[in-house]
Amino acid sequence: MRLERLYGDCRWAEGPLYLPAWRQVIWSDIPNDRMLRWDEMTGTVGVFRTSAGHSNGNTLDGQGRLITCEQGNRRVTRTGHDGKVTVIADRFEGRRLNSPNDAVVRSDGSIWFSDPDFGITSDYEGHRAESEIGACHVYRVDPGTGEVRIAADGFSGPNGLVFSPDERQLYVSDTRLNRIRVFDVRDDGTLSDGEVFAECRPGGGAFDNIRFDDAGRLWVAACDDGVHCYAPDGTLIGRLVVPETVSNIAFGGPKNNRLFITATTSLYSLVMSVTGAPRIATEGR
């Protein structure tokens, strides 16, 4: 396996997402307020969107539409196939969100996202402001009504989130506390109180976003400590060393076995001997 540097002119890169239909990766360059795209067939890089609302995490919904967390605009949006941008969530009980960070879509069409205050603590990755909510939560957007409600709380800096392949559990990283919590998902969409799944090893960076492979192993962007791999019981079983501070990861490629890594200024990739969990949930499964 060989780590490839695909691009290296960002200020702080995050939110990689592989688009199977286009064989492209899009990702966010937050301080530069732009989204970039890398073409797998040609290796070229271009601007996908600017201004981009200081976008952070990106994912796809069950219809292949782009879901983006916009830190600067303090909202979660959906980009349709026609390019139209629709606001999914920007307030909770009438108060503005902090700065949505990462999102995941469940097969029932519900959208879940983390809302730390990273984008309002300074003007570097958003716009400095006071929190109107006064806390950092994980939210769920109802697919039928669009209602935004708190799904989980008790976080210092909720960041990456991902469902287990069977969608029976939700994993959430808490960057400031250097741990990952796991919640059971009930039939009505509510969550259990949550337990600690893993804690970052002493001196081992901090947890950012998280992704599963199809064998149930959890891969974690661990900032200065590269990329971690955890067994289903939470045991650290491996680590990838990356030359820069790792922010986010995503599986992609035609076989879903290519790991894309955003790290400080760069987009990297690594063709793996493992395969990522299925990329897109199917609504109504």
Side-chain angles (χ1 to χ4, degrees), residues 56 71 99 101 116-122 125 156-159 175-176:
N56 194 323
Q71 285 193 168
S99 54
N101 185 285
D117 58 5
F118 305 152
I120 59 174
T121 56
S122 75
E125 294 187 6
S156 178
N159 197 325
T175 299
R176 290 195 177 110

Side-chain angles (χ1 to χ4, degrees), residues 257-272:
N257 67 339
R258 190 171 187 174
L259 188 68
F260 294 95
I261 303 168
T262 49
T264 314
T265 65
S266 305
L267 175 69
Y268 295 90
S269 80
L270 183 67
V271 177
M272 307 279 283

Side-chain angles (χ1 to χ4, degrees), residues 19-38:
L19 304 176
W22 299 100
R23 294 193 64 176
Q24 294 181 343
V25 175
I26 62 170
W27 77 98
S28 303
D29 182 5
I30 304 177
N32 283 328
D33 193 18
R34 62 180 181 171
M35 295 173 68
L36 301 172
R37 61 181 165 195
W38 170 83

Side-chain angles (χ1 to χ4, degrees), residues 153-160 171-183 193-201 205-208 210 218 220 230:
D153 55 17
F155 299 98
S156 178
N159 197 325
Y171 291 72
V172 183
S173 68
D174 193 333
T175 299
R176 290 195 177 110
L177 297 182
N178 285 345
R179 67 187 187 186
I180 296 169
R181 293 169 63 188
V182 56
F183 302 83
D193 291 337
E195 300 177 351
V196 175
F197 171 76
E199 294 183 311
C200 210
R201 63 180 189 159
F207 290 146
D208 204 306
I210 47 184
L218 187 67
V220 183
Y230 291 87

Side-chain angles (χ1 to χ4, degrees), residues 201 204 219-220 222 224-229 236-242:
R201 63 180 189 159
W219 295 78
V220 183
D224 292 335
D225 208 36
V227 178
H228 290 187
C229 180
L236 177 63
I237 57 176
R239 187 170 70 93
L240 301 176
V241 178
V242 179

Side-chain angles (χ1 to χ4, degrees), residues 184-219:
D184 292 328
V185 183
R186 303 187 183 100
D187 291 341
D188 62 358
T190 60
L191 302 178
S192 65
D193 291 337
E195 300 177 351
V196 175
F197 171 76
E199 294 183 311
C200 210
R201 63 180 189 159
F207 290 146
D208 204 306
N209 93 316
I210 47 184
R211 293 292 181 262
F212 272 103
D213 65 22
D214 65 357
R217 294 172 293 238
L218 187 67
W219 295 78

